[in-house]
């Protein structure tokens, strides 16, 4: 049996404890046996080792090898450029990993620093780390629970457990045993858990678990055990880098071999092969990816999404499921009155136009009761403090013109009977001067017998207001107040209204009144809470955010499935999910934590893609959901704000924490933080993520076409009987010019018009999908064909400038290519030359540098170039433009085949 199932005496005996606590000697012995009440951390890497780990990636190792080779052949500038790129990449990775280590530190902060315990029969304040199983802890309002405890005493005790369970309302505690073994944490009302805190009342309890054995400790264990999964971008780039490096090395070896066999000098062919290898290895790739992600992250901050780990920016573009915590993420985390039943009709409280019509007496008495029979208060700064339910009632009364402070001046509280869970109601008694009216919403309602029927309104001296569960209140009432006076209560009608409001996910409270000629001497509930008159019913809920509904719709349009995961009641979850559009008419798509617990992982995986709402779940359930979806090949985003979300946030492909309501634990475990707690911000982030992946893919396409153009040129020239067309310095210069500024500027390309009308990329989709490889091969061959044609024609014509012509044509074809591939489908003439000004500037600068290399006398001997005549330059420009127009024709063909229309 679990602790919540046991009787108090059984718990004390099992723990070998006593109601007056442990002796100091026994506590010391148990501290040695169980260890301190602290959360443990795994052995940390040193900062130096964490930095070194950033150099293990295959792509980085290839780049380091390229830097060494560049240095050996005298290209020091290339060596320095590659080293700077590698080090910057390592620094970014180091910072991300260092931040991730903070998740456990944030979890430890939640633990209470001190605790009040009974030691040797006397209360004592001790460091919470010294608590042991069997200690008796004293709790009161404002205290953080220092360990997991089973209550021995609970006096009007309420606990705030939202961070651990997701429950938005403080939970009332009691000491009775609970018989269901598999109760979710939120329903174990005779237990309190480490890291939660007391909002009201007092109690004592015996410690049943400390340290890593507590529920908070179990979350810490999950955080330690869960490894972060690699992002799709990391997986794709690692695969791309390995394949490209192997292919390039093989081609370079072939080029070297063919050149030597044709009689070219071995040293020249070695330098050519090495230069080709250095040029073809994409040393700019880590830099372009980092810049693209950093620019995306900066833009997202302006849209209230803070990125903690750069690769998460792109991951958003692959997300197929968003698993969102309900409380505070999809809802306001603020109890609000939604409906009022008064004078035998239901009023939607949010419709302000109704308020002008609510001048009937029953409504005024109900609002007065809600304002007066209420412990919520306004502090000096204007904030309402108190129990969330009380705050909701306070607000609805104030919104309708019934100010608590003003009413208390007229009708002061003189006695009260506090709420308890057995009676399920509370009562306040107020002095009520005879004939005094109730003012609200600009109307004065007299307490004299006219115009209403005599009875309750016969100038009483005192009035009691009772509010509580309607099923209890009905048995204590005799009549109901209507605009026609007092009427006999129709219990069935009241129950029907209660059931209808409850079915809408509302928490329903009944409110009743009773008049007194004098203050009763006997203030027992049995004496005061009888012979009541019903004023009305009030239905409350934590309502969904308005913007969340639109965000859910946008997610669906983008092919992303939103899933609600909550610790709340299934009925409440279903109502919220339907209002948001997560659920439609598929009530079978709801699963409780208990049902989930009973399913083996294999069986659950068969159902997981059909479930849209999970209710009454524990932290380990959330983790199971994320894992099951990932096992089905889905990419999962998990949003949340509580400690209970942290393990799933860490495991998810992208964890999204709330910036305002989120705990430090959730923020440190997450990849991204929503600064405005707005679910809609996720949609903006998804759009940015898709755009960034598109731009990285454009860069890879550009890189492959330019590099394949160089490789085909050098590979085919000897085969068709032409001399080696380019010198090593030419290859490295083209590499620097074309893979440099234009490639970086591609990362600033605006998003395509259909970016949010496509389904998510398949998580296993290759970076070369949708014909990228084919494009790279044919465009590379076209470049090589143009270059070799120019070489053959120039040599045949006896042009001594043939190598400069070849060098210039190859450089310019690549600049034309970068303009053409700015969009997968749209023509450059549609999107406009100036829609990416950094790219246009990069192309112009690269062109001017190339002209300088050709025409500046100081650079001619360095690059082995000769000035071209105006006619030769014009010919080079004209021939180079063929690549641009060929790619534009390919896009036009694609548009015609797919029936694509510009947005």
């Amino acid at each position: 049996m679990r602790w919540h199932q046991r009787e108090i005496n059984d718990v004390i005996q099992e723990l070998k404890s006593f109601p007056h606590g442990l002796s100091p000697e026994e506590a010391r012995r148990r501290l040695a046996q169980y260890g301190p009440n602290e959360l443990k951390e795994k052995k940390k890497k040193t900062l130096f080792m964490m930095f070194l780990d950033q150099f293990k990636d295959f792509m980085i190792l290839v780049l380091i090898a390229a830097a060494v080779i560049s240095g050996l052949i005298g290209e020091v500038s290339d060596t320095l450029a590659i080293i700077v790129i590698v080090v910057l990449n390592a620094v970014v990775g180091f910072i991300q990993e260092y931040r991730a280590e903070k998740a456990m530190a944030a979890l430890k902060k939640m633990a209470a620093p001190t605790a009040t315990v009974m030691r040797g029969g006397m209360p004592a304040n001790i460091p919470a780390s010294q608590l042991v199983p069997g200690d008796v802890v004293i709790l009161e309002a404002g205290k953080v629970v220092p360990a997991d405890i089973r209550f021995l005493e609970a006096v009007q005790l309420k606990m705030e457990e939202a961070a651990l369970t997701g429950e938005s309302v403080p939970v009332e505690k009691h000491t009775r045993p609970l018989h269901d073994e598999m109760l979710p944490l939120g329903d174990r009302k005779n237990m309190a858990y480490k890291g939660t805190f007391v909002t009201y009342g007092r109690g004592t309890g015996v410690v049943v678990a400390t340290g890593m054995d507590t529920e908070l400790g179990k979350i810490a264990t999950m955080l330690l055990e869960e490894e972060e999964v690699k992002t799709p971008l990391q997986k794709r780039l690692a695969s791309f880098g390995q394949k490209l490096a192997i292919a390039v090395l093989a081609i370079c070896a072939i080029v070297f071999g063919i050149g030597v066999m044709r009689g070219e000098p071995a040293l020249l062919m070695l330098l050519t092969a090495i230069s080709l290898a250095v040029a073809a290895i994409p040393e700019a790739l880590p830099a372009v990816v980092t810049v693209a992600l950093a620019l995306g992250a900066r833009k997202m901050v302006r849209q209230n999404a803070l990125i903690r780990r750069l690769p998460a920016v792109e991951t958003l573009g692959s997300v197929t499921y968003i698993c969102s915590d309900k409380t505070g993420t999809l809802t306001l985390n603020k109890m609000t009155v939604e409906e009022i039943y008064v004078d035998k009709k239901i009023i939607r409280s949010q419709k302000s136009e109704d308020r002008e019509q609510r001048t009937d007496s029953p409504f005024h008495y109900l609002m007065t009761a809600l304002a007066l029979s209420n412990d919520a208060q306004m502090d000096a700064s204007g904030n309402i403090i108190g129990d969330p339910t009380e705050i909701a009632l306070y607000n609805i009364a104030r919104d309708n013109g019934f100010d608590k402070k003003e009413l208390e001046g007229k009708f002061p509280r003189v006695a009260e009977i506090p709420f308890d869970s057995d009676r399920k109601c509370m009562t306040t008694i107020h002095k009520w001067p005879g004939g005094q009216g109730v003012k609200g919403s600009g109307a004065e309602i007299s307490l004299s017998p006219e115009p209403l029927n005599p009875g309750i309104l016969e100038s009483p001296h005192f009035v009691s207001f009772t509010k509580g569960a309607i099923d209890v209140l009905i048995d204590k009432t005799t009549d109901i107040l209507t605009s026609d006076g007092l009427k006999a209560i129709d219990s069935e009608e009241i129950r029907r209204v209660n059931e209808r409001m409850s079915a809408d996910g509302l928490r329903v409270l009944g409110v009743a009144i009773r008049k007194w000629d004098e203050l009763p001497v006997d203030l027992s509930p049995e004496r005061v809470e009888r012979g009541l008159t019903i004023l009305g019913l009030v239905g409350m809920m934590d309502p969904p955010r308005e913007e969340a509904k639109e965000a859910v719709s946008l997610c669906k349009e983008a092919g992303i499935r939103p899933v609600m995961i909550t610790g709340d009641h299934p009925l409440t979850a279903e109502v919220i999910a339907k209002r948001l559009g997560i659920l439609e008419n598929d009530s079978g798509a709801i699963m409780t934590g208990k049902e989930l617990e009973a399913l083996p992982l294999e069986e659950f995986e068969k159902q997981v893609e059909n479930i849209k709402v999970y209710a009454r779940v524990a932290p380990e359930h959330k983790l199971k959901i994320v894992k099951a979806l990932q096992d089905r090949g889905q990419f999962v985003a998990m949003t949340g704000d509580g400690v209970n979300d942290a393990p799933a946030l860490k495991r998810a492909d992208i964890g999204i924490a709330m910036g305002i309501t989120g705990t430090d634990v959730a923020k440190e475990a997450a990849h991204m933080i929503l600064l405005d707690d707005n679910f809609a911000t996720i949609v903006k982030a998804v759009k940015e993520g898709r755009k960034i992946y598109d731009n990285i893919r454009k860069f890879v396409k550009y890189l492959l076409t330019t590099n394949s153009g160089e490789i085909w040129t050098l590979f085919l020239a000897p085969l068709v009987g032409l001399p080696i067309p380019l010198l090593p310095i030419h290859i490295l210069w083209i590499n620097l010019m074309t893979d440099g500024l234009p490639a970086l500027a591609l990362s600033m390309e605006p998003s395509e018009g259909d970016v949010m009308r496509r389904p998510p990329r398949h998580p296993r989709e290759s970076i070369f999908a949708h014909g990228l490889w084919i494009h790279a091969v044919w465009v590379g061959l076209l470049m090589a064909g143009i270059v070799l044609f120019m070489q053959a024609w120039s040599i045949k014509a006896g042009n001594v400038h043939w190598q400069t012509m070849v060098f210039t044509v190859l450089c310019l074809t690549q600049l034309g290519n970068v303009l053409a591939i700015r969009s997968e489908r749209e023509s450059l003439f549609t999107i406009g030359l100036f829609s990416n000004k950094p790219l246009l500037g990069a192309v112009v600068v690269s062109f001017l540098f190339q002209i300088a290399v050709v025409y500046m006398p100081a650079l001619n001997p360095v690059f082995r170039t000769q000035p071209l005549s105006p006619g030769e330059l014009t010919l080079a420009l004209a021939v180079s433009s063929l690549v641009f127009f060929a790619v534009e024709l390919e896009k036009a063909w694609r548009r015609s085949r797919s029936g694509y229309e510009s947005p």
Side-chain angles (χ1 to χ4, degrees), residues 92 96 290 293-295 297 307-315 671:
V92 170
Q96 292 166 7
T290 302
L293 296 178
L295 289 172
I307 302 298
R308 296 191 65 255
R309 295 172 178 82
L310 275 185
V313 176
E314 178 274 337
T315 310
H671 305 84

Side-chain angles (χ1 to χ4, degrees), residues 688-885:
E688 191 67 21
R690 291 186 176 189
K691 181 196 86 171
I692 285 165
Y693 180 74
D694 282 353
N695 289 349
I696 290 171
R697 196 169 176 276
K698 288 169 190 173
F699 168 73
V700 170
K701 179 192 278 191
Y702 174 60
L703 176 90
L704 284 179
T705 51
T706 55
N707 286 4
S708 71
E710 295 164 26
I711 290 169
W712 283 122
T713 299
L714 291 168
F715 182 68
L716 294 175
L719 295 181
V720 296
L722 292 172
I724 296 297
L726 298 168
L727 297 173
I729 187 71
H730 297 156
I731 299 169
L732 294 172
W733 174 256
I734 292 172
N735 178 53
L736 181 65
M737 280 297 94
T738 59
D739 286 5
L741 291 175
L744 286 169
L746 269 178
S747 63
M748 302 177 192
E749 190 65 33
S751 59
E752 304 250 1
D754 67 339
V755 70
M756 287 302 284
R757 298 203 302 271
R758 314 176 205 146
R761 295 187 312 278
H762 192 283
R764 297 192 184 93
E765 179 183 288
S766 167
I767 201 165
F768 306 113
H770 310 297
L772 191 147
W773 261 123
I774 298 169
H775 174 92
V777 171
W778 81 257
V779 174
L781 278 169
L782 178 62
M783 285 181 180
I786 292 169
V787 169
L788 294 177
F789 169 78
M790 282 299 299
Q791 182 184 9
W793 179 82
S794 297
I795 291 172
K796 189 173 181 181
N799 191 335
V800 293
H801 303 156
W802 70 263
Q803 199 163 52
T804 303
M805 288 280 286
V806 166
F807 175 35
T808 302
V809 167
L810 185 56
C811 187
L812 296 182
T813 56
Q814 297 187 1
L815 294 179
N817 182 45
V818 78
L819 291 173
I821 64 164
R822 282 183 52 193
S823 172
E824 293 272 352
R825 293 173 178 269
E826 293 283 345
S827 167
L828 176 66
F829 304 107
T830 302
I831 61 178
L833 198 59
F834 294 94
S835 56
N836 186 347
K837 290 176 182 175
L839 179 61
L840 180 61
V843 169
V844 170
V845 168
S846 297
F847 175 74
L848 292 175
F849 272 125
Q850 180 64 23
I851 294 299
V853 164
V854 172
Y855 288 103
M856 284 185 68
L859 296 177
N860 289 152
V862 176
F863 288 92
R864 316 282 173 84
T865 55
Q866 296 155 321
L868 300 175
S869 68
E872 289 170 335
L873 180 61
T874 303
L875 179 62
L877 285 167
V879 171
S880 301
S881 67
L882 291 175
V883 171
F884 170 80
F885 289 110

Side-chain angles (χ1 to χ4, degrees), residues 425-571:
C425 58
M426 69 167 283
T427 297
T428 58
I429 303 177
H430 301 263
K431 191 173 182 182
W432 204 278
Q436 177 67 60
V438 181
K439 190 173 184 180
S441 297
E444 185 85 18
I445 301 300
S446 173
L447 280 173
S448 63
E450 299 297 328
L452 303 180
N453 291 339
I456 190 171
L457 304 173
E458 290 177 344
S459 303
H461 292 95
F462 296 93
V463 163
S464 65
F465 295 116
T466 301
K467 69 173 188 277
I470 194 64
D471 54 338
V472 173
L473 220 54
I474 283 177
D475 296 334
K476 302 174 185 288
T477 56
T478 55
D479 44 29
I480 183 169
L481 184 62
T482 73
S483 51
D484 295 325
L486 298 176
K487 300 291 183 184
I489 189 167
D490 183 346
S491 299
E492 288 308 309
E493 169 66 14
I494 297 293
R495 285 192 174 94
R496 276 196 300 274
V497 172
N498 179 46
E499 287 169 6
R500 208 277 300 152
M501 291 171 80
S502 297
D504 286 343
L506 301 180
R507 183 185 180 201
V508 185
L509 281 182
V511 184
I513 188 172
R514 180 179 175 182
K515 72 122 181 161
W516 301 85
D517 291 328
E518 57 185 33
L519 186 67
V521 178
D522 179 7
L523 287 175
S524 66
E526 294 77 17
R527 168 81 173 92
V528 175
E529 294 172 350
R530 59 175 183 161
L532 305 177
T533 296
I534 289 280
L535 293 176
L537 278 63
V538 181
M540 294 161 285
M541 78 174 343
D542 177 14
R545 295 174 177 268
E546 283 299 318
E547 61 272 26
K549 183 173 183 179
E550 183 183 352
V552 166
S553 175
L554 287 170
C555 281
K556 288 182 171 182
E557 189 179 350
I560 299 166
R561 298 215 24 205
V563 173
M564 179 191 289
I565 304 179
T566 178
D568 250 348
H569 193 278
L571 183 60

Side-chain angles (χ1 to χ4, degrees), residues 66-359:
V68 172
I69 292 169
S70 296
L72 291 175
I73 65 173
E75 297 299 331
V76 179
S77 59
D78 258 40
T79 300
L80 291 175
I82 294 171
I83 288 173
V84 168
I85 287 168
V86 168
V87 170
L88 281 175
N89 196 65
V91 168
V92 170
F94 168 78
I95 291 169
Q96 292 166 7
E97 190 171 339
Y98 176 70
R99 284 177 175 171
E101 293 291 325
K102 292 184 179 178
M104 184 56 66
L107 198 62
K108 292 179 79 172
K109 280 183 189 175
M110 287 193 62
T114 61
T116 304
V117 300
M118 297 295 291
R119 286 278 168 89
M122 298 293 290
N125 283 318
I126 64 168
S129 60
Q130 294 181 14
L131 278 178
V132 295
D135 261 329
V136 174
V137 177
I138 300 170
L139 293 174
E140 56 190 23
K143 287 276 189 182
V144 176
V145 180
D148 287 4
I149 68 171
R150 166 72 161 86
F151 283 114
L152 306 178
E153 179 188 28
V155 181
Q156 297 170 30
L157 185 65
K158 292 185 179 180
M159 306 289 304
E160 173 60 70
E161 298 179 336
L164 193 65
T165 67
E167 178 64 63
S168 55
V169 178
V171 179
E172 188 177 357
K173 298 294 182 177
H174 57 70
T175 60
R176 299 186 300 278
L178 302 165
H179 302 296
D180 189 342
E181 181 185 354
M182 303 308 294
L183 274 180
L185 295 183
D187 291 337
R188 298 180 190 178
K189 297 188 177 179
N190 56 13
M191 301 283 296
Y193 296 102
K194 184 180 178 77
T196 61
F197 63 93
V198 183
T199 61
Y200 190 80
R202 60 182 176 82
T204 59
V206 60
V207 174
V208 297
T210 59
M212 298 299 280
D213 294 326
T214 62
E215 293 299 327
L216 198 65
K218 290 175 185 175
I219 293 173
T221 302
M222 285 189 269
L223 279 172
L224 292 176
E225 290 174 352
E226 279 311 314
E227 294 297 324
E228 288 189 60
V229 295
K230 276 193 170 184
T231 70
L233 181 65
Q234 289 169 325
K235 292 174 185 174
R236 292 182 185 110
L237 291 182
S239 172
F240 168 64
Q242 288 181 24
K243 290 174 182 174
L244 185 64
I246 292 166
V248 164
L249 292 174
I251 290 169
C252 290
I254 294 169
V255 167
F256 173 77
I258 292 174
V260 170
M261 284 190 290
R262 286 190 72 250
E264 298 283 354
L267 180 59
L268 174 64
M269 289 312 303
L270 178 62
L271 290 175
T272 301
I274 290 172
S275 299
L276 184 58
V278 171
I281 295 295
E283 69 270 17
L285 184 57
V288 168
V289 170
T290 302
V291 168
L293 296 178
L295 289 172
R298 189 173 70 177
K299 184 175 180 181
M300 285 184 184
V301 167
R302 294 197 294 269
Q303 296 174 341
N304 291 312
L306 174 65
I307 302 298
R308 296 191 65 255
R309 295 172 178 82
L310 275 185
V313 176
E314 178 274 337
T315 310
L316 283 159
S318 286
V319 163
T320 55
Y321 273 76
I322 296 178
C323 298
S324 174
D325 191 53
K326 177 185 74 70
T327 305
T329 308
L330 291 166
T331 66
L332 294 170
N333 197 16
K334 175 184 176 183
M335 290 298 284
T336 306
V337 174
E338 296 269 311
E339 289 184 355
I340 296 167
Y341 175 76
V342 63
D343 200 12
K344 295 191 174 183
K345 59 180 179 283
I346 290 178
I347 302 170
R348 288 285 299 168
S349 69
Q350 301 304 317
K351 293 182 181 177
S352 57
E353 63 269 17
D354 287 347
R355 290 178 183 159
E356 296 305 317
Q357 303 164 20
R358 299 181 204 162
T359 54

